[in-house]
Amino acid sequence: MPVITFREALRQAMDEEMARDDRVFLLGEEVAQYNGAYKVTQGLWEKYGDKRVVDTPITEEGFTGLGVGAAMVGLRPIVEWMTLNFALMAYDQVVSNAAKTRYMSGGQFKLPMVMRGPNGPAEYLAAQHSQALQSIFAHIPGLKVVSPSTPYDAKGLLKTSIRDDNPVIFLEGELMYAWKGEVPEEEYLIPLGKADVKREGSDVSLVSYGKPMRVTLEAAEKLEKEGINAEVIDLRSIKPLDEEAVYASVRKTHCCVIVEESWPFASVGSHLGWLISRNAFDYLDAPVEMVASEEVPMPYNHKLELAVQPQVPKIVAAAKKVLYLDN
């Protein structure tokens, strides 16, 4: 099976969907001749031309709104935000129009559009350009929110998202674009709302999604060396959320740690912790623990930048806490 980067998996997904359906087109800043700020759209402008790979002005609210209008008349736009930090400029279009038009029209308008780009901490980008913003999108009814952790998942989930008739926020990571993994040449789709067990285990459930899956799996390996068998659940999509996959793991292990890189207040992780407490309380041997970013703006200093994010020692310590092994 070919081994490709996360970046190439995304590019293949868009290329295949653009070849399959001529209603699919791409728009965003520098996505055409420049091939995108992170080269995710490499070669698509040469292949599909100006009408289907559209460079836009630096105006996120404007071109996101253009995407909403295009989706309302039957096209299937893929809006690239150079980063989710810039998507804050488009938040009104996302919340007021993309998320609500299908509901407000009584289903007369579909909104088949994907808004994608890098989310979460990167490196040396400081307070304004290194934020994990999934919670503010997951909070809005009418939006689907997807966050893959591997090249395989990225390709299958993006193809499914492009075919969805609802607006999908597709979360990537700047540091993930060079990650490599096996991706089959034949076509496949991954349904939204279907979590994946990345590692079987019986002692504690570690639940995460997106970029923190890497440190979560590293923590599971470290715990194994200490005789603790951790199960790792990758949510893959935040909304819809595969609650049953999480409950099934908790019923098996009786302990749970949630790992995510956003701030903890009113986050995806805190909501999931409440769901587990409400629906699987009788199976828990300890309160659910959460490892999130510290509630501060991202520091520029690299040591502090790493210190505020989920790291392997924090996850290991949380796992030992729910197992009452933290002395």
Side-chain angles (χ1 to χ4, degrees), residues 25-46:
F25 74 103
L26 175 65
L27 71 162
E29 297 156 352
E30 300 179 341
V31 298
Q33 290 94 333
Y34 191 68
N35 295 311
Y38 298 98
K39 307 307 175 192
V40 178
T41 57
Q42 185 86 42
L44 297 179
W45 174 74
E46 288 88 344

Side-chain angles (χ1 to χ4, degrees), residues 7-327:
R7 172 189 293 110
E8 173 61 12
L10 296 168
R11 193 203 65 79
Q12 286 186 8
M14 291 188 288
D15 187 11
E16 291 177 11
E17 291 305 299
M18 292 176 77
R20 184 188 65 83
D21 185 344
D22 62 10
R23 296 172 300 172
V24 179
F25 74 103
L26 175 65
L27 71 162
E29 297 156 352
E30 300 179 341
V31 298
Q33 290 94 333
Y34 191 68
N35 295 311
Y38 298 98
K39 307 307 175 192
V40 178
T41 57
Q42 185 86 42
L44 297 179
W45 174 74
E46 288 88 344
K47 185 172 182 179
Y48 296 102
D50 290 329
K51 291 187 177 179
R52 297 188 65 195
V53 182
V54 182
D55 266 338
T56 67
I58 303 174
T59 167
E60 281 76 12
E61 183 176 16
F63 67 77
T64 301
L66 191 156
V68 172
M72 288 176 65
V73 297
L75 300 178
R76 291 184 172 271
I78 304 169
V79 173
E80 178 174 303
W81 291 322
M82 194 177 291
T83 88
L84 265 285
N85 303 286
F86 303 162
L88 294 174
M89 302 299 294
Y91 197 57
D92 181 53
Q93 285 290 348
V94 176
V95 174
S96 299
N97 295 327
K100 296 186 175 69
T101 296
R102 192 169 189 186
Y103 171 80
M104 293 172 65
S105 69
Q108 294 182 78
F109 288 109
K110 298 177 181 177
L111 259 296
M113 67 182 295
V114 173
M115 293 157 276
R116 49 156 292 270
N119 175 57
E123 286 187 310
Y124 309 105
L125 293 178
Q128 295 172 311
H129 289 175
S130 199
Q131 307 176 92
L133 299 172
Q134 56 268 39
S135 301
I136 65 171
F137 292 103
H139 185 64
I140 307 301
L143 297 178
K144 296 186 177 183
V145 183
V146 179
S147 183
S149 69
T150 68
Y152 176 88
D153 289 351
K155 183 175 180 180
L157 288 167
L158 182 54
K159 286 171 67 71
T160 303
S161 299
I162 293 169
R163 298 184 191 189
D164 201 289
D165 284 337
N166 297 285
V168 178
I169 308 294
F170 199 89
L171 306 174
E172 302 152 13
E174 289 179 38
L175 299 179
M176 301 172 73
Y177 287 131
W179 291 5
K180 293 183 177 179
E182 292 185 338
V183 176
E185 292 178 328
E186 62 269 21
E187 180 176 86
Y188 65 96
L189 300 171
I190 298 175
L192 307 188
K194 182 67 176 177
D196 186 38
V197 179
K198 287 288 193 282
R199 188 182 193 279
E200 297 275 357
S202 57
D203 293 332
V204 58
S205 301
L206 306 180
V207 182
S208 189
Y209 57 92
K211 182 160 67 66
M213 279 301 305
R214 176 169 282 193
V215 291
T216 303
L217 286 165
E218 291 173 2
E221 291 175 6
K222 186 170 179 60
L223 287 166
E224 185 176 30
K225 292 176 182 175
E226 300 183 39
I228 299 169
N229 190 9
E231 180 154 285
V232 178
I233 306 294
D234 184 352
L235 296 177
R236 297 203 292 196
S237 83
I238 297 168
K239 214 172 187 181
L241 178 65
D242 189 354
E243 294 180 37
E244 183 49 42
V246 177
Y247 303 151
S249 182
V250 169
R251 286 195 291 267
K252 182 166 64 171
T253 66
H254 309 291
C255 300
C256 184
V257 175
I258 301 165
V259 183
E260 66 176 359
E261 59 185 359
S262 64
W263 297 298
F265 190 93
S267 69
V268 173
S270 61
H271 178 71
L272 181 59
W274 170 72
L275 286 172
I276 295 168
S277 297
R278 187 186 67 174
N279 298 319
F281 180 81
D282 289 343
Y283 296 94
L284 288 170
D285 287 342
V288 176
E289 276 293 319
M290 186 168 73
V291 179
S293 286
E294 303 296 333
E295 192 144 313
V296 295
M298 182 61 69
Y300 181 74
N301 176 281
H302 191 52
K303 288 185 178 178
L304 293 176
E305 183 181 41
L306 294 176
V308 304
Q309 298 178 52
Q311 300 290 342
V312 170
K314 293 181 181 180
I315 302 169
V316 169
K320 289 182 177 178
K321 184 176 182 180
V322 299
L323 289 165
Y324 302 102
L325 298 173
D326 59 344
N327 300 317

